[in-house]
Amino acid sequence: MTLWIVEHAPGARGCPRVLKGVLNRPWAWAVHDPEPPSATPPGDYVLTTRHRALDVDHWGVNWLASEHFVGICREFGLRVTPVPVRVLLSGGVPTAKRYFYLLWSEWASVIDREASAYTADTDLVTGEPLHHRHFPSVPVLLSVDTFVVDAARVPRAAAFRCPDLDHALVCGDAFRRACEEAGLLGLGFREITGYTKAGFWG
């Protein structure tokens, strides 16, 4: 079983390195909360960008995805709540693709803590290990030298958010193939076992 980190892959037209823009209102949800919102999120979000073209299908850092990416999530039965956002280009023209912010309810910590080489972050005052707010049993990793997957902790979901990887999106082979066969833009895939993270002073 191979797991892949879904990364932003800039370079193609409409896939800039950095997404520059201003959102008309703050998000009405806690982005790392795995529970879906109790009330329907507002659907009047407008993202005014400084780009003349935007054609990307998934932007993990901004939790933004196109309707094509959402469709693949639906095909795999993923628990994802899409919140519509109207994306405008620099001239005020709407993008050709429809976009959504994605609220993920598929989360899993998959690191093998005994086999991996990492340093957990600690509270500067108490010296106690820090844990993720919404995942109290999962330590915050300050640095990672070797990442080993615990197969027993891998969920059945075809894609999920992983707190071990700074909340990155992780997927299996089938989800990766579906994205590639659909020709989605702006996605790259890196094998999870190659993941490393430098410490604060690294």
Side-chain angles (χ1 to χ4, degrees), residues 87-98:
V87 180
L88 303 178
L89 301 175
S90 58
V93 179
T95 54
K97 289 181 177 177
R98 295 175 60 213

Side-chain angles (χ1 to χ4, degrees), residues 99-114:
Y99 284 98
F100 302 85
Y101 287 121
L102 299 188
L103 284 61
W104 287 84
S105 295
E106 305 284 5
W107 288 80
S109 168
V110 298
I111 190 171
D112 186 325
R113 297 178 193 169
E114 294 185 0

Side-chain angles (χ1 to χ4, degrees), residues 27-42 45 58 62-65 69-70 73-74 78-85 100-107 161 169:
W27 287 339
W29 58 86
V31 69
H32 298 142
D33 190 346
E35 295 298 325
S38 56
T40 302
Y45 287 98
H58 178 263
N62 299 85
W63 303 72
L64 188 71
F69 185 87
V70 173
C73 291
R74 291 283 182 253
L78 297 178
R79 296 179 299 142
V80 177
T81 302
V83 180
V85 55
F100 302 85
Y101 287 121
L102 299 188
L103 284 61
W104 287 84
S105 295
E106 305 284 5
W107 288 80
R161 289 279 176 179
L169 181 63

Side-chain angles (χ1 to χ4, degrees), residues 19-25 46-50 86 101:
L19 181 58
K20 300 177 181 179
V22 177
L23 190 61
N24 65 324
R25 57 181 296 169
V46 179
L47 176 62
T48 303
T49 75
R50 292 162 54 188
R86 189 164 179 254
Y101 287 121

Side-chain angles (χ1 to χ4, degrees), residues 92-190:
V93 179
T95 54
K97 289 181 177 177
R98 295 175 60 213
Y99 284 98
F100 302 85
Y101 287 121
L102 299 188
L103 284 61
W104 287 84
S105 295
E106 305 284 5
W107 288 80
S109 168
V110 298
I111 190 171
D112 186 325
R113 297 178 193 169
E114 294 185 0
S116 300
Y118 67 89
T119 301
D121 203 356
T122 57
D123 187 289
L124 294 177
V125 176
T126 66
E128 294 294 318
L130 293 177
H131 293 78
H132 289 276
R133 175 184 175 188
H134 296 289
F135 308 93
S137 65
V138 179
V140 176
L141 305 184
L142 180 65
S143 64
V144 178
D145 293 322
T146 306
F147 193 102
V148 178
V149 173
D150 184 346
R153 301 173 66 129
V154 177
R156 297 180 62 181
F160 57 92
R161 289 279 176 179
C162 185
D164 308 322
L165 310 171
D166 293 327
H167 314 296
L169 181 63
V170 173
C171 72
D173 287 325
F175 190 87
R176 175 186 177 177
R177 284 196 301 270
C179 291
E180 291 176 338
E181 290 171 0
L184 298 191
L185 299 176
L187 285 78
F189 300 90
R190 177 163 58 107

